[in-house]
Amino acid sequence: MDHRDGERGGERDVLRPRRIVVGVSGSLGSLAALHRAVEEARRTDAEVLAVLAWLPQGGEIGYRRAPCPPLLGVWEESATARLAEALDAAFGGAGPAGVRMSGCAVRGETAPALALFADRSADLLVVGAGSGSRLRRGLRASVPAECLKVARCPVLAVPRPPLQRELESRSWRHWWQFPVAPVPTR
């Protein structure tokens, strides 16, 4: 059977429970997305899969130029630890009550990695909308925009929480207000 049978109404999707895949990085935006995914799971009796996508330092091209398997293991452990810390931060060390939830750290670019797990039309992919700065959008496409391009299921982009917007605006304002101290000369 093809893994896309759910799009044609195949039996495979009927047998598997609905799944909500959520991108988690540990940022405030991703934690807001995680909470929204859990709310949606409670409402629809779906299972939640929290996914943290990671890449080797220097990206895949850098790793291919100078592969180092021991470092790869360290980066994978670090990603797994970041996912566990994010889940602990989101739910205070205890999982969300009444929701089936699991998590995994996967090597790869964020949007394709999330789309790999949210592979059925009945799934829901939840991502944080992230920072809306023009500079970031100019340098790199946003994760929600990339997810919309590659996902086979609906994508829900959760807006940044008010606290994150406030912290970002204060950080930017303070950067402009504080003069840079001159370097002492001898």
Side-chain angles (χ1 to χ4, degrees), residues 41-128:
R42 280 191 182 112
R43 193 177 64 73
T44 61
D45 193 36
E47 63 181 285
V48 175
L49 175 61
V51 178
L52 185 139
W54 64 276
L55 290 171
Q57 292 288 343
E60 291 294 341
I61 293 173
Y63 184 76
R64 276 186 247 142
R65 284 186 181 157
C68 181
L71 273 179
L72 199 59
V74 170
W75 293 325
E76 185 173 11
E77 288 173 15
S78 174
T80 302
R82 276 192 2 243
L83 176 62
E85 289 169 7
L87 295 176
D88 285 348
F91 303 110
V99 174
R100 295 179 314 274
M101 186 165 153
S102 59
C104 70
V106 63
R107 179 179 171 185
E109 292 285 341
T110 305
L114 293 173
L116 178 71
F117 288 98
D119 62 346
R120 299 174 295 158
S121 60
D123 291 339
L124 175 65
L125 178 54
V126 181
V127 292

